[in-house]
Amino acid sequence: MSADTSTMDSTERTRALLTTAEPRRRRVDRAMTVLIWGAFALAMVPLVSLLWTVLFNGAGRISLEFLSYSMRGIFGGDPSGGIYHAVTGTLIITGWAALVSVPIGILVAIYLVEYGRGALARSVTFFVDVMTGIPSIVAGLFAVSLFTIFFGPGARFGFMGAVALSVLMIPVVVRSCEEMLKLVPNELREASYALGVPKWLTIVRVVLRTSVAGLTTGVLLAVARVIGETAPLLVAVGVTDSINFDAFDGRMMTLPVFIYRQYAQGLATCREGQEGCVADIALQNAWGAALTLIAIVMILNIAGRLVNRWFAPKLR
Amino acid sequence: MAQRIDVTDVNIYYGDFRAVEGVSMTVDPKSVTAFIGPSGCGKSTFLRTLNRMHEVIPGAYVEGKVELEGVDLYGDDVDPVAVRRNIGMVFQRPNPFPTMSIKDNVLAGVKLNNRKISKSDADDLVESSLRGANLWNEVKDRLDRPGSGLSGGQQQRLCIARAIAVKPQVVLMDEPCSALDPISTLAIEDLIQELKKDYTIVIVTHNMQQAARVSDRTAFFNIAGTGKPGRLIEMNDTATIFSSPAEKATEDYVSGRFG
Amino acid sequence: MTTTDSPPAPAAPVRRRRSSGDTERGFSRTFRWIATGSGALILATLAAVALFLIVRAWPAMTASSAELADAVPRYPDDTSFLAYVGPLVFGTLLAAVLALLMATPVAMGIALFISHYAPRRLAQVLGYLVDLLAAIPSVVYGLWGIAVLAPAVGPVWLWLNEYLGWFPLFAGGASPTARVLATVSVVLAVMILPIITAVSREVFLQTPKLHEEAALALGATRWEMVRTAVLPFGQSGVISAAMLGLGRALGETMAVLMILSPGFLYSFNILQAAQQQTIAAYIALDFPEASGLAVNALIATGLALFVITLAVNMAARAIVARRKEFSGAN
């Protein structure tokens, strides 16, 4: 009999041990779980709010006319005109920036992955990381300082902005391309060497060919990073209301700068009952341009990720 | 403090895949039970279900009953955290917390409770746990140094000290010597013999000699082939398993014909 | 470009004993030089940025305060150049530090959410959503800050000012339009969330499974596991992540420019209008209209910003690099 009761006792004791609600610990755990989910939810608030605001305020302004006319000769509350000059300016300047940054960035990535060792490689890696932290306005000042030495203090043209953007873009290109090149398995390189292919051809034909999808992704994401830059273009390229396709002569408008300028313009003064005058047209223009810019950035982001998903060779 | 474990009809799944099938067994208190079998037979997986550590693996779940002194570990009112507290575990590779001193490592489990423990009580607990793990004499002069500075065998004994500092009922060991050299292994095996005076011990091992040396009872697990679930083939006194097993597969395995 | 000879680190000397097995002939050797040259170009570019800024800032730094007061709008009379940059540096640091204080805890929460709390299948997608915050151009953040955030936080600032006005940061008269440093800091905090999250997430994910299981096997709850295994392991990573975020916040221009009503004071009143200004916003505001010595003065303030961010970023990267060497033991 006594054996039975002792079994009962120990079962009860064990039950007590295993179900010990240690309420304080459990409460802390529960509270932290809520806080951590809350942190994520909190971060989504500005994202959702911002995207919705831009869509809501910008969608009404988007029209074929808005996308295909410049602001030349548009004053006050005149609701005509559009962002064509800013879109082309953005594409031209970003295109030049990519043209400068992509070859340099890929070559640096090749250097780091295929050749780099020793002090130079270490300091390049370190300073590429440091360069990603250069404030964009400083890049703009650098471009101005550089070009005004040769072209006089008033020089402002598209390529200056492209150089400023390149300073910001090169480290991003290097970082992402480096990751992609590292993914190429060494066996492929060795197989190529074993066929007697020289190293540079191996890099071009095997390494770059294998990672071309990844490199494209890296470049697209880097373009998306800089296409929304405002401050360096504001100081290095200036503003204009007209279309300008020449990156080497005269000021150019870009979408981000256009947004800022329209915002800074504030309300137009309309007389009572004046025909074709919209008081807050500048703000509407800013929102419309913001929607266009965000659309471009999102398309680049999504395209970048899709390229990698669809075209990347299966390495394993 | 040692308690018995009864397992009835346990199936273990990873998502849709059934990893272990139909295991029933009894683990006696104050004894050493060894699980042996070829790799992939589910013995480690099964061991983890004894303290609900398998729940760390996404998609893993268990059917059946695992009882500690008659209390189902998977009952609705049972707290998995309390289960792990009462059924300690030592892993294949020693894993002291690298940022903590030897002393803090031993006290790690106790401190989780935030029970205010006086300095002298803490010192006593550190000493008794380290003595219990046969490590006290080697580290008593450097309790404030990081635990990662010890040798592999010492680190594993530190992990055992950490596990017994929270005064569990059962200690599970998942191939505790597989990453250690022969001398350290011997030290751990001696320690296991000491520990079984106070604890129920279950040890998974690849090493049949080790099972024969340290365990009182042995359970042999096997799989019919890749992709098939692991099963408990037989369980008996260790001497019986190694001298006259009932099953052909067991005999083949312990005589080294496969695995 | 006469500055290409500046890289401090000499090219790694080719080890002589390699030469016997050196298979590089012809174009391969040229290609190596092209690649290595590009690597050196990175160092040269950074050096060029510093050099050109110094060259163009020099006239302002050496000019007398009378000359500067003549040429530069808003230049306080009879003060040294340092007294002119001082309040700007102060405003820059104040805004960035406040943003950092708000962003770091939230970013750590998000990083833990993605690494240890979110359902595994969703984690990657959710992480991508956070990265989207980094893709939004700063000028759009500025628009949003004025149109949505400022009206929303205005009443909060008034309340803080009324009931917690004894606290130095909330002192002074709160501006009802909320075009104040507090609002700017909130926007900056949102903007630096993604970078802090991304770096912290990486280090949290690297926590050895062994240590997490050790904690769980001792009977730790999930939070206790995070506290004993994940956070100590990720500590230095989080510190450097925060410093990278600080670097970003220091240099952010447009959001500040569009939201803040600027002033040139050493003032902690973050709810009051016309108190502080940051370097980046100051340059963007005045540069398009500036000429002569004023340009040099602006570039000099830009140089100050460059030096500060460079120091912060180098410190952060040095911590990351050191961490990498140590974590090799795992």
Side-chain angles (χ1 to χ4, degrees):
Chain A
M1 279 297 105
S2 71
D4 255 17
T5 42
S6 89
T7 319
M8 290 295 286
D9 276 359
S10 76
T11 303
E12 282 318 302
R13 258 204 321 274
T14 308
R15 184 176 299 281
L17 278 175
L18 294 184
T19 54
T20 339
E22 288 180 74
R24 215 194 54 82
R25 286 175 65 195
R26 221 188 272 191
R27 262 204 307 277
V28 170
D29 188 49
R30 200 95 34 91
M32 288 316 294
T33 306
V34 170
L35 273 180
I36 282 168
W37 279 78
F40 179 76
L42 187 64
M44 289 301 106
V45 171
L47 182 67
V48 172
S49 158
L50 191 148
L51 291 178
W52 194 80
T53 312
V54 172
L55 197 63
F56 181 80
N57 287 332
R61 187 70 184 118
I62 300 288
S63 66
L64 202 59
E65 189 197 346
F66 186 65
L67 293 175
S68 56
Y69 281 81
S70 75
M71 292 298 281
R72 191 184 178 96
I74 309 279
F75 299 105
D78 188 346
S80 54
I83 57 171
Y84 182 70
H85 61 310
V87 173
T88 55
T90 285
L91 294 181
I92 290 168
I93 290 178
T94 317
W96 275 107
L99 220 56
V100 173
S101 319
V102 171
I104 296 179
I106 291 183
L107 278 169
V108 174
I110 288 176
Y111 166 70
L112 288 175
V113 175
E114 305 291 330
Y115 296 103
R117 56 180 68 82
L120 179 64
R122 267 203 307 280
S123 49
V124 169
T125 307
F126 181 74
F127 282 107
V128 163
D129 282 335
V130 170
M131 254 176 107
T132 55
I134 290 185
S136 58
I137 187 120
V138 170
L141 289 181
F142 161 66
V144 172
S145 307
L146 177 67
F147 282 93
T148 50
I149 283 180
F150 303 109
F151 299 95
R156 298 281 185 277
F157 50 86
F159 191 69
M160 284 170 68
V163 167
L165 292 187
S166 296
V167 172
L168 302 170
M169 196 174 160
I170 288 172
V172 183
V173 176
V174 173
R175 256 296 93 80
S176 49
C177 291
E178 196 187 346
E179 295 305 315
M180 295 306 159
L181 295 184
K182 275 185 189 158
L183 289 180
V184 178
N186 244 340
E187 290 81 357
L188 288 186
R189 295 188 181 88
E190 281 167 2
S192 173
Y193 294 148
L195 293 173
V197 181
K199 184 159 183 170
W200 78 273
L201 261 182
T202 302
I203 292 170
V204 174
R205 287 265 176 83
V206 178
V207 178
L208 292 186
R209 181 72 63 80
T210 314
S211 51
V212 69
L215 298 180
T216 314
T217 300
V219 168
L220 286 175
L221 293 184
V223 170
R225 264 291 299 278
V226 299
I227 204 167
E229 283 294 350
T230 319
L233 302 178
L234 194 61
V235 300
V237 186
V239 294
T240 174
D241 286 336
S242 315
I243 299 166
N244 176 8
F245 290 128
D246 187 351
F248 294 90
D249 185 32
R251 296 163 179 244
M252 270 176 135
M253 193 48 125
T254 50
L255 264 180
V257 176
F258 177 84
I259 296 170
Y260 169 64
R261 294 293 292 194
Q262 291 292 316
Y263 157 79
Q265 203 167 308
L267 295 182
T269 42
C270 290
R271 276 175 285 106
E272 191 79 31
Q274 184 184 355
E275 280 289 300
C277 179
V278 183
D280 67 342
I281 187 64
L283 214 53
Q284 286 187 29
N285 284 338
W287 284 113
L291 179 58
T292 314
L293 182 59
I294 285 208
I296 294 175
V297 171
M298 292 299 159
I299 288 169
L300 283 168
N301 264 290
I302 293 167
R305 281 163 215 270
L306 290 185
V307 163
N308 203 20
R309 180 168 302 173
W310 285 343
F311 298 109
K314 301 281 172 282
L315 294 176
R316 265 167 248 286
Chain B
M1 293 256 292
Q3 293 184 322
R4 60 190 266 136
I5 302 175
D6 294 290
V7 179
T8 332
D9 255 337
V10 159
N11 297 320
I12 308 169
Y13 297 86
Y14 289 123
D16 296 333
F17 174 62
R18 187 190 285 198
V20 175
E21 178 177 68
V23 176
S24 301
M25 68 163 68
T26 297
V27 176
D28 297 327
K30 297 197 182 186
S31 72
V32 178
T33 303
F35 294 172
I36 59 170
S39 9
C41 67
K43 54 192 191 302
S44 286
T45 307
F46 177 68
L47 185 78
R48 281 171 164 253
T49 62
L50 298 185
N51 72 342
R52 299 183 68 166
M53 273 302 283
H54 69 286
E55 289 172 8
V56 175
I57 302 159
Y61 67 96
V62 164
E63 289 173 357
K65 231 189 209 176
V66 180
E67 290 169 319
L68 183 69
E69 283 301 299
V71 182
D72 188 359
L73 296 184
Y74 292 87
D76 288 335
D77 55 348
V78 170
D79 183 355
V81 169
V83 169
R84 292 174 199 150
R85 207 181 146 66
N86 287 292
I87 306 180
M89 191 162 199
V90 176
F91 295 85
Q92 197 165 358
R93 281 177 56 198
N95 54 358
F97 296 116
T99 49
M100 294 184 190
S101 67
I102 292 174
K103 185 175 161 186
D104 289 340
N105 258 295
V106 176
L107 291 174
V110 184
K111 280 187 174 165
L112 288 178
N113 252 338
N114 265 7
R115 221 183 282 137
K116 284 280 172 265
I117 179 166
S118 74
K119 202 183 158 332
S120 64
D121 284 353
D123 289 343
D124 289 348
L125 182 62
V126 169
E127 181 172 346
S128 65
S129 304
L130 285 172
R131 277 191 195 283
N134 282 344
L135 192 60
W136 174 251
N137 288 328
E138 291 159 65
V139 300
K140 64 183 174 200
D141 302 324
R142 43 174 173 161
L143 292 176
D144 293 321
R145 305 279 293 280
S148 47
L150 299 174
S151 76
Q154 288 172 325
Q155 286 190 18
Q156 193 62 297
R157 278 180 281 153
L158 176 58
C159 293
I160 293 174
R162 182 176 65 187
I164 61 180
V166 295
K167 310 240 187 303
Q169 322 290 322
V170 179
V171 178
L172 307 178
M173 298 187 174
D174 187 0
E175 301 190 32
C177 303
S178 66
L180 304 182
D181 60 88
I183 294 180
S184 306
T185 301
L186 217 58
I188 303 270
E189 288 179 4
D190 289 346
L191 174 58
I192 292 173
Q193 292 305 320
E194 304 264 318
L195 289 174
K196 81 171 187 187
K197 291 174 196 153
D198 298 313
Y199 303 97
T200 305
I201 293 178
V202 183
I203 175 171
V204 165
T205 178
H206 249 116
N207 179 333
M208 276 174 287
Q209 286 74 31
Q210 183 170 63
R213 282 194 298 265
V214 300
S215 70
D216 303 308
R217 286 172 68 78
T218 297
F220 172 63
F221 287 76
N222 201 2
I223 39 171
T226 43
K228 299 264 174 56
R231 293 162 160 282
L232 173 63
I233 303 300
E234 75 172 296
M235 182 169 182
N236 212 329
D237 288 341
T238 300
T240 315
I241 289 278
F242 282 94
S243 56
S244 48
E247 299 286 332
K248 178 82 168 64
T250 314
E251 191 180 348
D252 287 349
Y253 184 74
V254 298
S255 60
R257 248 168 260 166
F258 79 100
Chain C
M1 292 281 267
T2 51
T3 56
T4 37
D5 56 352
S6 54
V14 180
R15 300 266 176 268
R16 276 288 158 256
R17 54 191 143 80
R18 273 194 69 233
S19 61
S20 61
D22 194 351
T23 53
E24 283 182 20
R25 297 270 182 277
F27 194 73
S28 278
R29 187 168 294 178
T30 318
F31 194 79
R32 165 188 283 272
W33 282 112
I34 294 173
T36 311
S38 308
L41 186 66
I42 292 285
L43 304 182
T45 310
L46 205 62
V49 171
L51 189 79
F52 278 95
L53 290 182
I54 291 171
V55 166
R56 296 301 306 268
W58 192 251
M61 291 193 286
T62 49
S64 72
S65 52
E67 284 175 287
L68 282 167
D70 262 356
V72 184
R74 296 183 238 207
Y75 193 89
D77 283 329
D78 295 326
T79 50
S80 67
F81 185 76
L82 281 181
Y84 155 72
V85 183
L88 292 171
V89 172
F90 171 82
T92 308
L93 290 176
L94 183 61
V97 168
L98 286 174
L100 190 66
L101 289 180
M102 285 185 268
T104 308
V106 179
M108 282 177 69
I110 302 171
L112 282 176
F113 174 76
I114 292 168
S115 65
H116 286 88
Y117 278 75
R120 232 156 261 240
R121 244 173 265 173
L122 282 179
Q124 205 186 352
V125 179
L126 299 178
Y128 178 60
L129 280 182
V130 178
D131 288 342
L132 270 189
L133 277 175
I136 292 166
S138 61
V139 67
V140 181
Y141 271 112
L143 273 186
W144 173 78
I146 277 300
V148 180
L149 186 69
V153 295
V156 182
W157 295 165
L158 287 177
W159 185 90
L160 281 176
N161 178 244
E162 192 173 339
Y163 295 100
L164 299 171
W166 48 267
F167 187 65
L169 282 179
F170 304 145
S175 155
T177 55
R179 307 185 65 141
V180 294
L181 202 73
T183 314
V184 168
S185 302
V186 173
V187 177
L188 292 182
V190 175
M191 297 177 75
I192 63 177
L193 264 185
I195 174 104
I196 306 183
T197 304
V199 177
S200 317
R201 183 176 73 196
E202 284 313 303
V203 290
F204 289 159
L205 282 173
Q206 285 167 11
T207 313
K209 260 238 115 47
L210 280 173
H211 298 150
E212 294 178 15
E213 292 191 337
L216 289 175
L218 286 174
T221 61
R222 181 150 53 166
W223 166 245
E224 287 162 348
M225 182 271 283
V226 167
R227 222 187 44 196
T228 40
V230 180
L231 293 184
F233 179 83
Q235 198 177 29
S236 62
V238 172
I239 291 172
S240 65
M243 289 175 76
L244 290 178
L246 181 66
R248 291 284 158 87
L250 287 169
E252 184 40 53
T253 313
M254 295 318 288
V256 187
L257 176 61
M258 292 166 79
I259 296 170
L260 187 62
S261 145
F264 294 85
L265 307 172
Y266 290 106
S267 164
F268 281 105
N269 302 354
I270 59 170
L271 301 181
Q272 199 174 353
Q275 300 292 298
Q276 307 91 351
Q277 172 70 307
T278 73
I279 296 178
Y282 175 67
I283 297 172
L285 190 62
D286 280 16
F287 200 88
E289 324 296 334
S291 64
L293 195 57
V295 172
N296 302 112
L298 286 171
I299 290 180
T301 60
L303 181 64
L305 176 63
F306 178 65
V307 170
I308 295 170
T309 50
L310 203 65
V312 169
N313 276 299
M314 283 174 69
R317 292 300 179 183
I319 295 174
V320 176
R322 227 173 50 129
R323 227 193 93 78
K324 261 183 204 153
E325 282 166 30
F326 278 103
S327 65
N330 294 305

